[in-house]
Amino acid sequence: MRLDVISIFPEYLNPLQLSLIGRAAEDGILDLNVTNLRDFATDKHRKVDDTPYGGGAGMVMMPEPWGQALDAVRAQAPAEKKPVLIVPSPAGTVFNQKMAYDLAEEDHLVFACGRYEGIDERVIEYAHENFTVIPVSIGDYVLNGGEVAVMVMVEAIARLIPGVIGNPESLVEESHSDVLLEYPVYTKPASWRGREVPEVLLGGNHHRVARHRRDEQIKRTAARRPDLIPQLDVESLNRRDRDA
Ligand SMILES: Nc1cc(-c2ccc3cc[nH]c3c2)n[nH]1
């Protein structure tokens, strides 16, 4: 997968060169490219923002640097299929695990990091000519720019790509992959500061361990994310209990 990030703070994306994603880039599984929007500014001061039409506080990102940057990125990876352009925004579709799975199937993702009060809306309209454009929110809180949102999305997406994480098994039982939240985990020592690992986990009965973990998932989901319960197929859980 090719990943392009356009930002006025390219160094903000340096952590993507670390750990599993950095290794995947070295191994050629990911082709990660960060573009400095200022390189496409049209004046000697490399200006990328200006005052908003209609007045109001703050500045708006000018259209032309974005138009040239998007054209340049599109030209670097000519392909029949339009790349997906993800525009982090508080007004976007909320990012979730299903979106991460869907985006992990794409060949080319481009991320446009806004700053200031946002990007001139005509850029988004223009981008539809060469990209499949998706405004995306990572949650109902306001950031100062898109870079942090891109870091979140790139990590969530890249880890689903075969070869990026060592053990694909660990993708199977995680939270949100099957609606229920993850169960509590423990490791040595069995007794720590007067607190014990649940006895069932110390025995070798895999069936009992699996049942215990599922019960813990249900308890934790009901307590912390009751909103997920309607999606839970209670009938299949009850059937599981009957068959146990
Ligand atoms: N989920 C979420 C996204 C954002 C966001 C994204 C881009 C910009 C550009 C300027 N402010 C921004 C805020 N805040 N919260």
Side-chain angles (χ1 to χ4, degrees), residues 95-145:
F95 186 69
N96 60 22
Q97 192 65 24
K98 182 182 183 312
M99 196 184 285
Y101 276 111
D102 293 345
L103 291 172
E105 298 293 318
E106 294 293 335
D107 298 325
H108 188 190
L109 298 180
V110 182
F111 294 88
C113 297
R115 278 274 155 175
Y116 308 103
E117 299 306 310
I119 303 170
D120 186 302
E121 190 63 19
R122 291 168 293 179
V123 172
I124 310 306
E125 293 167 11
Y126 169 71
H128 279 90
E129 293 179 17
N130 294 308
F131 299 89
T132 300
V133 182
I134 313 175
V136 180
S137 164
I138 60 164
D140 293 335
Y141 40 83
V142 183
L143 303 169
N144 287 331

Side-chain angles (χ1 to χ4, degrees), residues 35-109:
T35 296
N36 186 340
L37 180 69
R38 286 195 194 280
D39 292 346
F40 295 90
T42 53
D43 70 312
K44 66 178 186 304
H45 301 296
R46 292 164 58 90
K47 184 175 169 62
V48 294
D49 64 300
D50 208 333
T51 53
Y53 278 119
M59 304 291 273
V60 172
M61 299 192 98
M62 297 156 64
E64 185 53 20
W66 276 106
Q68 291 192 23
L70 290 170
D71 289 350
V73 165
R74 183 72 183 89
Q76 284 170 33
E80 291 300 303
K81 186 182 175 197
K82 286 181 178 178
V84 174
L85 176 67
I86 296 160
V87 186
S89 164
T93 304
V94 178
F95 186 69
N96 60 22
Q97 192 65 24
K98 182 182 183 312
M99 196 184 285
Y101 276 111
D102 293 345
L103 291 172
E105 298 293 318
E106 294 293 335
D107 298 325
H108 188 190
L109 298 180

